[in-house]
Structure formats: C-alpha cells, structure tokens
Amino acid sequence: MYYNLIYTKGDTFAVQYDLEKYVIPMSAKAIFSIRDKKNTLLDCSIDATGKSLLLFSISAEDMGKLPSGKYYYDCVIQYSDGRKVTLDYIRELRIVEVAHGLL
C-alpha cells in the first residue's frame, strides 16, 4: 500500500490509524511524529487505552512552522510497562506550497 502523504503548508494536519478489530488492551499512549532525518520536529500524543481508532491532529499554526520540503512520519504505541510498538515503518511526508487566489 502507498502511505506517503502530501500536505499543503499551513493546513491543519489530521490522520487516523484504524486498528480494525484490535483494541489496545492496556494503558498506553500513541505518539505520531513528524521528523527530518535526525530530529522530531512535531508530535502529537493521545491516550490509546482501549481504542482501535487513533485520531491525530496537529494545528495549522504548528504545521505552518515547517518549511516546504520532505519529512518523515511514524506512529508508536508506548505502553505503561515501557514497551514500544511501531505501527508502521517510517513513511514520507511532503509539505508543498499552494498559491491561493491566483485565478
């Protein structure tokens, strides 16, 4: 499947992970991260306890701080006992400029 994303610079970022029939069985938080090659630039964490649908949102204001370009994203479940599970491998996020009102 193709999971690379393209987003418009300065728009609110919203993404969901649907675990279908799997429900996170114990106390955990889910962390969605946007990174460059070395550093986490933005992240969003939610309480994932008992959930099978994980919804993440990063404000337009925060997304507007990232210059246009190529980034990477991933989602990790961090359990209260210290275990971490990555839901997918790191994927690409491109932030692009859009020219509004040129027509």
Side-chain angles (χ1 to χ4, degrees):
M1 294 181 126
Y2 182 75
Y3 291 101
N4 292 338
L5 301 175
I6 298 174
Y7 255 75
T8 304
K9 180 176 175 48
D11 281 354
T12 298
F13 184 91
V15 66
Q16 71 181 25
Y17 284 78
D18 187 349
L19 307 178
E20 298 181 5
K21 295 180 182 180
Y22 181 78
V23 176
I24 296 175
M26 59 184 294
S27 181
K29 68 178 177 177
I31 305 160
F32 179 86
S33 300
I34 298 175
R35 304 166 184 212
D36 60 15
K37 289 186 178 185
K38 297 180 183 179
N39 303 303
T40 298
L41 303 173
L42 292 174
D43 64 19
C44 176
S45 64
I46 60 171
D47 180 6
T49 306
K51 295 182 181 175
S52 62
L53 183 63
L54 307 174
L55 304 170
F56 300 95
S57 179
I58 299 175
S59 72
E61 180 182 31
D62 285 341
M63 289 300 293
K65 295 174 185 173
L66 294 177
S68 297
K70 183 166 99 174
Y71 300 92
Y72 303 94
Y73 72 93
D74 66 1
C75 182
V76 173
I77 305 297
Q78 184 174 358
Y79 291 94
S80 58
D81 65 4
R83 289 181 298 132
K84 292 182 181 180
V85 176
T86 302
L87 294 184
D88 58 12
Y89 57 87
I90 294 176
R91 300 180 190 275
E92 186 177 297
L93 167 66
R94 288 199 181 260
I95 298 176
V96 297
E97 297 278 343
V98 172
H100 295 283
L102 291 180
L103 300 177

